[in-house]
Amino acid sequence: MKFTILYGTESGNAELIAEDLGAALSEQHDDVAVHDLQQTDPGSLSPDTFYLIVCSTHGEGDLPNSAIPFAEAFDATPPDLTGVRYAMFGLGDTFYEETYSQGSEHIDRRFAAQGAERVGEYGRHDASSWELGSDAALEWLPGVLESAAIPA
């Protein structure tokens, strides 16, 4: 099974979490890649890869800067994501109740609209908590792999 971890970030937190998830997956799996969404062509998403998407929230529930080029390319030429499976981990701050973790939801809606299947629990990290984002993501990962029937 191929894994690609895509991240959208504003300040680097989503990138750090993506790298930690990649390191954890690499302990059990050989084909693991980590990429910034801004360097990802939506047309390259493939059913032979399981995607983990880590995306922060910027401003008033907006996408972070590194995810904007991906979203624009996605909207310009929506890819057929039939057969694509993915898991979503969003970052946000519950202090901003109405926009909490909305950045990841922008990506999630696009994937679902094009036929991709989200697997497992929707992971989220609250910047107002005392928990580190990577700790929350690494705790979330085994449940996603179990839901996807992928050995941990």
Side-chain angles (χ1 to χ4, degrees):
M1 170 63 68
K2 293 180 184 178
F3 292 92
T4 296
I5 304 164
L6 301 172
Y7 63 87
T9 192
E10 187 71 30
S11 63
N13 289 335
E15 180 179 4
L16 292 173
I17 292 169
E19 289 174 355
D20 286 344
L21 288 170
L25 281 169
S26 294
E27 292 175 6
Q28 300 295 321
H29 302 277
D30 294 329
D31 199 349
V32 179
V34 179
H35 298 288
D36 192 329
L37 277 168
Q38 69 182 340
Q39 299 165 340
T40 303
D41 173 4
S44 70
L45 300 173
S46 169
D48 70 347
T49 300
F50 187 82
Y51 296 93
L52 296 167
I53 299 155
V54 181
C55 190
S56 64
T57 302
H58 183 65
E60 297 184 22
D62 301 320
L63 286 168
N65 279 333
S66 81
I68 292 173
F70 176 83
E72 289 174 347
F74 194 103
D75 293 345
T77 309
D80 178 4
L81 298 182
T82 303
V84 170
R85 299 187 320 147
Y86 70 101
M88 185 65 68
F89 191 84
L91 307 178
D93 189 329
T94 55
F95 180 79
Y96 305 98
E97 292 177 31
E98 294 182 21
T99 62
Y100 173 62
S101 190
Q102 290 294 305
S104 63
E105 292 185 20
H106 289 291
I107 301 295
D108 186 61
R109 283 192 290 274
R110 283 176 170 85
F111 273 52
Q114 292 310 117
E117 175 190 1
R118 181 163 36 90
V119 176
E121 185 176 331
Y122 198 119
R124 297 184 197 269
H125 177 256
D126 177 8
S128 288
S129 73
W130 290 99
E131 187 173 29
L132 296 174
S134 286
D135 289 349
L138 292 171
E139 187 174 306
W140 162 81
L141 182 59
V144 167
L145 296 177
E146 183 178 329
S147 294
I150 299 170

